[in-house]
Amino acid sequence: MHVPDGFFNVPVSAGAGVVAAAGVAVCLRRARQELDDRTAPMAGLVAAFIFAVQMLNFPVAAGTSGHLLGGALAAILVGPATAVLCVAVVLLVQGFFFADGGLTALGVNITLMAIVTSLVGWAVFRLVSRSAPRSRTAVIVGSFLAALVSVPTSALVFTALFWLGGTAPIELSSVAAAMGGVHVLIGLGEALITALTVSSVLAVRPDLVYGARGLAAPLVLRTADGEVAVEKPATEPATPPAPKRGPRPILLGGGLVALLLAGVVSFYASSAPDGLNKVAADKGFNAYERPHDLENGPLAGYGVSGVEDERLSGGLAGIAGVGITVLVGGAIFFTVRRRRQDKAVA
Amino acid sequence: MTPGSDSGTAVSLQVSGLAYAYPDGTQALFGVDLTITRGERVALLGPNGAGKTTLVMHLNGILTAGHGTVEVAGLPVRADTLREIRRRVGLVFQDPDDQLFMPTVREDVAFGPANLGVRGADLERRVTHALDRVGMLEAANRPPHHLSFGQRRRVAVATVLAMEPEILVLDEPSSNLDPASRRELAQILKNLDVTVLMVTHDLPYALELCERSLILSQGVIAADGATRSLLADDELLAAHRLELPYGFAPSAHPR
Amino acid sequence: MSAGHHHALYLPGDTPVHRLPPQCKLIAAMGFAVAVVATPREAWGAFGLDVLLLAVVAAVGRIPPALVLRRMVVEVPFVLFAVAIPFIGLGERIEVLGVSLSLPGLWAAWNILAKATLGVVASILLAATTEPRMMLLGAERLRLPALLVQIAMFMLRYMSVILDQARRMRIARESRGFVARDIRQAPVLARSAGALFIRSYERGERVHLAMLSRGYTGQMPVIDDLPASWRQWSAAAVLPALALMTAVVARSLA
């Protein structure tokens, strides 16, 4: 999804640059509050983790493989502000050190892949974990939905930017359908992997999951008289509660249901897509799907190779099927996202 | 060499009644007491999971005691003394990759003294001197990840020496080293003129470098005495899951 | 590819391009990319001139064309997209070899291809002539938020360490006969990702401890400073200035 130079016109690139800079600046301050002087090493290591995990190819339905974008995952594991910083740094490093993603498109890329995915993912996660009793299941379900929503939302923001200042004369609905469709599918994969990853971290080190902090047992002294319990002083400062400025639950809930529906329907649609195969080839939707395979080309040694290319055509057909489904769902999302963005600006 | 009380039996390190549990609930220390006087080289022995690394983390205030106290050359480890404590206690981590986080060896060695406010030619001199003491001067401008493991560990020692500490604390200094690097590091450590606390389960290394040893087991100090006599006590070693390498007899290594 | 991949873009050398202070090069590459994006797409000559400018930089920096071409692979996904635009684009259509193509679509495809390619090559040249560490120092000099630069510094330092861990996990999986065929294998991969996160996080904590142990108080000490002279700045400014002039001239002619 790394947007190159020349894809958006100068005003949109510059505008996205301002949004990205402002977002990163806010997150720098918030992350410092969350992690104090640990910010630099912790965020650096988590950024390296995201970089590594983006190279891990996961087999997705219909024989294609995708990799994590990681925004929602990072938000749940280390908190939204740190997550934005981590993904933004990954993108900066990819742009400047690996020539991946255009330099003038850095603003667009950071806005789409760092800010939108992390914040939307976190908002959904909070919504779910707040409306359900605090439990492992709630955290895992929340992670699933957070990742599921975050990816297509990012694709829809892309569509909006394209509408504002894309340089290609393509019907907006085609772009929305293709982007939305592909990314609902990718979102499903992302959701599954995010939920499983969070669950596996939760099983081993629950204290590391930002979205779920556990309780500590009291200390015990082993003395001649046996074991004595002592009071533990409060060593760790309580984490400050996130400011309550999430989007309106009902609106978001509606969006969630729509997305789930779209996702489920498309999932089935993708298993019987024969007639749509040709549409996909003609319309060139595949161009959107391919980045996730080819992006890893030079780095394929880290991935799980051999799953992506052979069954690509089957996957493309599935994607087209999803695209049509999402045309309907997309309209709903569009309004949800618009409202949300308005709130963010306000 | 360092400020503080300078009498013959000055105490470098004093730990009393130390207990600690990790945030995930696991308790690692259950009341540790130990004293190390200036100029001593002491080995802290114990099986995996005995709490050795946890204890080390308390020595410079990285972990704060759940219960009990730690004093370095008379100065208690507290939030308001941390800066001075960290200058006095030089910690060499088990994994040199954790310790060498800067882009080049030179910047890494300079990191500590620069944090203490040392700048310019003074800083350069400290860096050069510290790297020279571990024989790594020629690697100054290389990135740490291009060095061999043994070289990285030596640079890690240099990063701490550059701070001119009161006591050098080494966590498993011989782990993952090939025999030659192991011997070179032993040579370097023997020639250093500082108090050393060496945390290890490498018993021959302890015997070679330290006259005195402590055994930490299940979160408490289980034995304290001359390394040679501790290592000769088969029952004691067996009780704490410590073992000498096959065919190694402490009595065959006179000093 | 090999574990050393993540530094493969940098090509050590001692040319005038290599010697320029990194902050000058960063600004030059940025400026060039902006100038290219601002160039009207009808100005064929202007893009030709931009290519020539980059070729001169590559020649002075002794960057072999093969290396640039190899790295241009990152652009492929969007080349595919660009190729699709004429087929799905709107507007007036023309027949080429019996295929109906959109004329505005063709222009758009050309526009994206030309600008993306020039941008990618400029980034490749920047990365190939600037040591990663120098790039960070340059970013610091340009007053990028220090915290952001530090995060990038730690990321670059530990990227290879973490990628190595990921690779060892993959080898461990595969040596026990694991093959990722479809979604049913996802839990295994996710467990690897989870384990990798825990290791990364714990290493982050240990690195932080190592920093604290050496007196870190939240500020990175400034150990190296990289001043740039006016001559160096003006030398670096040649590339974006010429590209900008080209863009301006092309705009006024259009």
Side-chain angles (χ1 to χ4, degrees):
Chain A
M1 201 149 119
H2 290 61
V3 178
D5 290 315
F7 199 88
F8 289 108
N9 63 19
V10 176
V12 165
S13 304
V18 172
V19 171
V24 168
V26 170
C27 291
L28 278 169
R29 262 227 310 274
R30 295 270 326 258
R32 269 229 115 116
Q33 285 166 9
E34 281 164 17
L35 287 170
D36 55 75
D37 65 342
R38 296 193 304 157
T39 311
M42 295 313 298
L45 264 293
V46 174
F49 160 74
I50 303 233
F51 187 85
V53 101
Q54 285 189 350
M55 288 179 186
L56 198 65
N57 274 349
F58 291 104
V60 182
T64 58
S65 84
H67 67 84
L68 279 180
L69 295 178
L73 176 67
I76 294 156
L77 290 178
V78 295
T82 314
V84 170
L85 289 187
C86 294
V87 184
V89 166
V90 168
L91 292 168
L92 284 168
V93 166
Q94 281 168 340
F96 282 106
F97 296 80
F98 295 90
D100 200 355
L103 296 185
T104 59
L106 270 174
V108 173
N109 283 326
I110 289 177
T111 305
L112 290 177
M113 282 188 273
I115 298 177
V116 173
T117 54
S118 304
L119 295 192
V120 168
W122 180 248
V124 173
F125 178 79
R126 289 285 292 179
L127 187 81
V128 174
S129 55
R130 239 194 255 162
S131 52
R134 253 184 118 62
S135 69
R136 268 192 58 152
T137 320
V139 170
I140 294 167
V141 170
S143 313
F144 184 88
L145 294 175
L148 183 67
V149 177
S150 71
V151 177
T153 309
S154 162
L156 285 162
V157 175
F158 173 92
T159 311
L161 289 180
F162 189 85
W163 175 63
L164 284 172
T167 55
I170 310 174
E171 230 173 308
L172 194 65
S173 60
S174 303
V175 178
M179 282 306 276
V182 174
H183 285 87
V184 164
L185 199 64
I186 292 173
L188 267 174
E190 175 110 359
L192 188 71
I193 301 303
T194 300
L196 288 169
T197 305
V198 169
S199 136
S200 77
V201 177
L202 217 50
V204 188
R205 290 286 307 267
D207 55 309
L208 294 194
V209 181
Y210 182 90
R213 304 266 164 121
L215 290 165
L219 285 174
V220 173
L221 279 186
R222 270 184 204 153
T223 60
D225 319 321
E227 300 199 338
V228 191
V230 287
E231 281 294 306
K232 189 185 177 184
T235 44
E236 261 183 294
T239 45
K244 300 187 175 179
R245 54 173 176 81
R248 223 169 280 147
I250 301 163
L251 237 141
L252 224 142
L256 252 171
V257 171
L259 222 160
L260 258 178
L261 269 175
V264 169
V265 172
S266 62
F267 196 73
Y268 286 107
S270 70
S271 62
D274 306 5
L276 296 165
N277 203 339
K278 197 169 174 306
V279 183
D282 287 350
K283 286 219 162 191
F285 288 169
N286 51 351
Y288 285 108
E289 195 267 26
R290 292 197 60 101
H292 294 277
D293 293 325
L294 293 173
E295 205 159 75
N296 297 335
L299 301 152
Y302 298 110
V304 186
S305 51
V307 269
E308 47 262 57
D309 285 345
E310 41 190 336
R311 289 166 68 191
L312 196 68
S313 55
L316 292 177
I319 282 148
V322 178
I324 306 274
T325 316
V326 160
L327 249 178
V328 186
I332 305 166
F333 284 121
F334 204 70
T335 45
V336 175
R337 190 204 49 73
R338 275 289 267 290
R339 291 270 188 105
R340 197 177 298 155
Q341 227 180 19
D342 289 348
K343 284 190 85 118
V345 170
Chain B
M1 179 180 121
T2 41
S5 52
D6 274 320
S7 64
T9 55
V11 172
S12 263
L13 180 70
Q14 171 112 41
V15 176
S16 36
L18 191 67
Y20 180 78
Y22 278 99
D24 65 358
T26 330
Q27 184 164 349
L29 300 179
F30 295 84
V32 172
D33 298 282
L34 64 93
T35 305
I36 295 174
T37 51
R38 177 162 302 158
E40 265 190 305
R41 273 206 301 262
V42 180
L44 181 68
L45 310 175
N48 287 336
K52 300 191 298 282
T53 302
T54 313
L55 174 59
V56 164
M57 296 294 180
H58 280 87
L59 300 184
N60 71 349
I62 285 172
L63 296 179
T64 18
H67 183 269
T69 58
V70 178
E71 281 182 23
V72 181
L75 188 71
V77 177
R78 278 196 320 250
D80 56 323
T81 58
L82 275 188
R83 197 178 155 84
E84 176 59 19
I85 288 292
R86 284 175 182 160
R87 196 194 61 72
R88 292 186 185 186
V89 179
L91 212 59
V92 179
F93 284 65
Q94 187 170 348
D95 184 348
D97 271 331
D98 293 343
Q99 187 135 17
L100 308 178
F101 44 79
M102 295 291 278
T104 62
V105 165
R106 192 176 58 80
E107 285 170 277
D108 221 303
V109 177
F111 180 86
N115 276 325
L116 301 177
V118 183
R119 288 286 183 279
D122 244 9
L123 183 62
E124 206 55 49
R125 201 167 44 245
R126 277 221 204 183
V127 171
T128 312
H129 184 56
L131 281 174
D132 195 33
R133 281 167 93 181
V134 299
M136 289 299 297
L137 198 50
E138 73 287 351
N141 286 312
R142 294 173 61 189
H145 57 270
H146 287 177
L147 303 176
S148 77
F149 195 87
Q151 290 174 319
R152 271 181 277 169
R153 178 147 299 148
R154 272 148 67 191
V155 173
V157 172
T159 62
V160 167
L161 287 179
M163 299 185 72
E164 299 176 354
E166 157 88 25
I167 178 168
L168 189 63
V169 181
L170 300 136
D171 194 357
E172 301 286 3
S174 61
S175 65
N176 291 325
L177 291 185
D178 59 34
S181 316
R182 186 183 143 92
R183 181 180 42 74
E184 285 162 6
L185 184 67
Q187 210 54 50
I188 288 164
L189 293 177
K190 268 187 197 161
N191 291 335
L192 292 179
D193 180 27
V194 286
T195 313
V196 170
L197 177 64
M198 191 174 105
V199 177
T200 188
H201 48 196
D202 181 345
L203 303 185
Y205 217 53
L207 182 66
E208 185 182 351
L209 289 168
C210 309
E211 279 128 47
R212 179 182 158 208
S213 288
L214 310 164
I215 293 178
L216 183 70
S217 187
Q218 298 193 314
V220 290
I221 298 289
D224 181 351
T227 309
R228 184 175 305 275
S229 59
L230 290 188
L231 296 197
D233 189 341
D234 292 342
E235 246 170 73
L236 179 73
L237 295 186
H240 301 294
R241 286 188 61 81
L242 290 168
E243 266 175 39
L244 289 162
Y246 178 73
F248 185 91
S251 52
H253 293 260
R255 293 185 101 146
Chain C
M1 242 188 200
S2 75
H5 165 81
H6 22 275
H7 292 297
L9 260 191
Y10 174 61
L11 203 71
D14 191 28
T15 70
V17 185
H18 283 83
R19 280 197 299 270
L20 272 182
Q23 60 268 40
C24 307
K25 279 188 274 188
L26 275 167
I27 291 290
M30 250 343 218
F32 178 82
V34 170
V36 166
V37 172
T39 306
R41 60 192 186 188
E42 293 81 8
W44 303 85
F47 292 113
L49 211 66
D50 287 338
V51 171
L52 208 67
L53 285 173
L54 289 180
V56 170
V57 173
V60 174
R62 302 237 179 90
I63 304 300
L67 179 112
V68 178
L69 288 174
R70 236 191 352 263
R71 273 307 301 184
M72 278 168 67
V73 149
V74 296
E75 211 200 348
V76 166
F78 274 89
V79 169
L80 293 178
F81 173 78
V83 168
I85 298 173
F87 295 95
I88 58 176
L90 304 170
E92 189 187 334
R93 296 190 85 84
I94 54 166
E95 290 274 319
V96 181
L97 301 172
V99 183
S100 164
L101 298 176
S102 145
L103 194 60
L106 279 172
W107 274 115
W110 150 252
N111 181 53
I112 290 175
L113 271 183
K115 291 178 179 177
T117 306
L118 285 167
V120 158
V121 173
S123 312
I124 293 172
L125 291 180
L126 171 69
T129 59
T130 315
E131 217 184 317
R133 187 175 74 94
M134 295 305 262
M135 195 97 81
L136 294 174
L137 286 175
E140 216 161 53
R141 284 288 297 196
L142 291 175
R143 300 286 158 85
L144 241 75
L147 192 53
L148 208 61
V149 178
Q150 286 165 27
I151 295 173
M153 182 194 94
F154 283 106
M155 177 188 160
L156 284 167
R157 166 67 181 89
Y158 287 104
M159 211 159 64
S160 53
V161 176
I162 289 176
L163 287 175
D164 267 357
Q165 279 178 340
R167 203 185 44 216
R168 283 200 296 273
M169 285 178 181
R170 181 172 62 84
I171 291 169
R173 281 196 307 268
E174 286 173 4
S175 55
R176 279 178 284 163
F178 176 82
V179 185
R181 243 178 243 101
D182 58 40
I183 205 80
R184 277 166 299 175
Q185 272 83 41
V188 178
L189 292 173
R191 260 198 299 283
S192 293
L196 198 62
F197 169 75
I198 293 172
R199 290 187 192 187
S200 308
Y201 196 94
E202 288 177 342
R203 187 180 290 280
E205 287 179 324
R206 291 198 305 272
V207 170
H208 177 241
L209 299 185
M211 294 169 74
L212 288 182
S213 305
R214 286 192 273 148
Y216 175 70
T217 50
Q219 293 289 315
M220 288 300 256
V222 178
I223 294 165
D224 281 304
D225 207 6
L226 264 187
S229 68
W230 273 110
R231 264 188 50 197
Q232 289 168 319
W233 272 113
S234 25
V238 170
L239 175 75
L242 286 179
L244 200 67
M245 260 154 59
T246 311
V248 169
V249 170
R251 266 180 181 264
S252 59
L253 291 180

